[in-house]
Amino acid sequence: MDGTQPSVQIRELIRQCAQVVVNAPAEWLDELDRAVLGANPAIASDPELAAAVSRSNRSNLLFWGAANVRDPGAPVPPNAGAEPMSVAREMVRRGVDSYTLDAYRVGEGVAWRRLMDIAFELTADPADLHVVLDVCSRSISDFVEATLAAIAAQIELERDELTRGSHAERRATVALLLDGAPIPRQRAESRLAYGLGGNHTAAIIWIDNPNSDLSQLDRATEAFGRAAGGRPLSVLASTATRWVWAPGSVDADSLAPAAGREVRIAIGSTGAGVAGFRRSHFDAITTQQMMARLHSPQQIAEYTDIEMVALLTADADRAADFVKRVLGELESASPELRSAVWTFVREQCNVSRAAGKLFTHRNTLLRRLARADELLPRPLSENSVEVGVALDVLHWRG
């Protein structure tokens, strides 16, 4: 901005544009999120980082709009509020490079297109439109530049903080193990205060909202260790995420009380030694990414239950097409009917066992299966495997 004050008429048009931005409908905000997250899959696949970016998107849009309602056309200072700064914190704790900030440019493009639509609805005067769009274009660009500079500065502060203390040593040691570096096992065990022999089960334990009570994460971590019968190893992966390992296998059913309503737990496979330590963690990451990709309502997921679904839903559009092709009208049937078919398939198409699992009479289950056959494109008896897989996708998909 060159400091030249726009005319009163132009300032009023800018104020009206900004007022619309401040009261942006939900579908505009959703469009902004889809564009920003779609431009960077590394962010989109991490539920906590994606949520932080989404909050920052909304904060930036409202910050610029509110500033131009108060003083239309004036330079807008950088948004150094909690939401953009939390993005810096989460990026550093994941070791994400600053190039991901380019995703903000995508958000700038979406916001700019919306603003042009608003301006064209407010006036048809070519001269006024030219000035309004020129002032707003430079204002948005300068605002985004200043905000990105503030985030970059915060990233450096967060990086300095993270590289000090015992937490940094523990995380660095875990990073070496996960990278397959030749660190002696005894040295790693000494730094971690955790034995690397025997079996291990890893988990990612997180809360989508970092403003929640984070002590819930510590309680869930302790419960995870109890479920495995040993003291867990916990690493602070980010503000609201813990990487956890426990010796032995884990009884996932016992974790539900510890999860409460906010904590989410992605559990990896169980493996032996350092190789099992590493593989279980990556399996837990795959599980978490699937939960994020499908917006899954489930709070606890095990890799052994979702491995096939994770592979199938790597391409979300093709997975949706697969579900529609296989299930036909059953996709939109009642949850009770879908559950009956899903349980029947999981019980190897044994009516008696499935009825027992569902706590229903055998004849009731048979009637539901007959109804499902009417809705399926192909009879269940000819296509039970694909139907079971498609229903698995629906089970995990939000």
Side-chain angles (χ1 to χ4, degrees):
M1 303 289 285
D2 59 11
T4 304
Q5 186 81 307
S7 69
V8 173
Q9 181 177 344
I10 296 299
R11 282 168 54 83
E12 176 57 22
L13 283 171
I14 294 174
R15 187 195 67 76
Q16 291 177 32
C17 286
Q19 191 66 58
V20 176
V21 169
V22 168
N23 295 290
E27 56 266 27
W28 289 12
L29 301 175
D30 291 341
E31 177 191 24
L32 182 62
D33 284 346
R34 285 195 302 272
V36 172
L37 297 176
N40 199 313
I43 293 178
S45 63
D46 184 320
E48 189 181 350
L49 186 53
V53 169
S54 177
R55 289 191 298 272
S56 182
N57 286 340
R58 286 156 167 73
S59 173
N60 289 333
L61 194 68
L62 296 177
F63 190 96
W64 184 90
N68 277 279
V69 169
R70 291 191 304 270
D71 192 0
V76 179
N79 181 8
E83 291 82 2
M85 295 306 104
S86 71
V87 172
R89 185 178 309 113
E90 302 311 332
M91 287 172 61
V92 170
R93 276 157 173 72
R94 287 160 172 77
V96 178
D97 294 326
S98 59
Y99 77 86
T100 54
L101 294 176
D102 291 342
Y104 278 68
R105 296 296 182 198
V106 177
E108 178 184 353
V110 172
W112 172 238
R113 288 193 296 273
R114 282 294 184 183
L115 190 67
M116 284 194 292
D117 291 341
I118 295 168
F120 274 91
E121 289 178 2
L122 290 175
T123 180
D125 185 281
D128 285 353
L129 275 172
H130 176 80
V131 178
V132 167
L133 294 178
D134 179 59
V135 171
C136 288
S137 172
R138 288 182 289 147
S139 173
I140 292 173
S141 179
D142 291 347
F143 166 67
V144 171
E145 284 288 345
T147 299
L148 289 180
I151 293 174
Q154 186 66 25
I155 284 175
E156 292 306 313
L157 292 175
E158 295 288 344
R159 186 174 287 125
D160 288 343
E161 179 182 336
L162 192 64
T163 54
R164 296 192 298 267
S166 59
H167 164 70
E169 182 180 51
R170 191 161 65 247
R171 182 182 170 110
T173 303
V174 165
L176 289 173
L177 291 170
L178 296 178
D179 286 343
I183 179 173
R185 192 181 112 183
Q186 293 78 5
R187 184 182 303 166
E189 290 178 335
S190 175
R191 290 180 179 179
L192 298 174
Y194 178 84
L196 293 171
N199 290 330
H200 310 278
T201 304
I204 311 297
I205 301 177
W206 80 98
I207 295 177
D208 289 326
N209 181 6
N211 296 319
S212 298
D213 176 12
L214 299 183
S215 67
Q216 298 175 84
L217 294 173
D218 298 324
R219 291 193 291 272
T221 297
E222 293 169 3
F224 187 77
R226 288 195 300 271
R231 180 175 175 273
L233 165 66
S234 175
V235 173
L236 178 66
S238 68
T239 305
T241 300
R242 304 288 185 269
W243 291 351
V244 184
W245 288 262
S249 59
V250 172
D251 176 12
D253 292 338
S254 67
L255 296 175
R261 291 187 298 174
E262 293 189 291
V263 175
R264 311 192 74 193
I265 306 174
I267 304 172
S269 58
T270 300
V274 174
F277 178 95
R278 184 185 304 119
R279 185 177 63 253
S280 185
H281 174 74
F282 292 133
D283 289 346
I285 290 286
T286 297
T287 305
Q288 184 197 35
Q289 289 176 343
M290 185 218 70
M291 296 170 76
R293 185 168 61 245
L294 299 184
H295 304 287
S296 176
Q298 310 297 331
Q299 284 185 262
I300 302 174
E302 294 183 82
Y303 179 76
T304 51
D305 289 336
I306 64 89
E307 183 175 8
M308 184 181 296
V309 175
L311 289 170
L312 182 64
T313 58
D315 185 326
D317 290 337
R318 293 187 66 180
D321 290 342
F322 170 80
V323 170
K324 290 183 183 300
R325 176 180 63 79
V326 172
L327 297 184
E329 295 180 48
L330 183 62
E331 181 183 5
S332 57
S334 69
E336 183 180 54
L337 180 56
R338 295 202 309 265
S339 177
V341 178
W342 187 58
T343 304
F344 174 69
V345 173
R346 289 173 71 88
E347 293 301 318
Q348 289 80 50
C349 300
N350 185 299
V351 174
S352 298
R353 284 206 306 266
K357 288 280 187 180
L358 292 165
F359 301 102
T360 190
H361 193 277
R362 189 175 187 276
N363 290 340
T364 301
L365 176 57
L366 287 172
R367 285 195 296 270
R368 289 174 182 167
L369 294 176
R371 174 56 182 157
D373 265 344
E374 295 174 0
L375 300 176
L376 287 167
R378 292 173 57 194
L380 181 59
S381 59
E382 299 176 6
N383 199 31
S384 61
V385 173
E386 286 196 345
V387 169
V389 173
L391 288 172
D392 263 342
V393 174
L394 284 188
H395 172 74
W396 291 106
R397 191 174 71 189

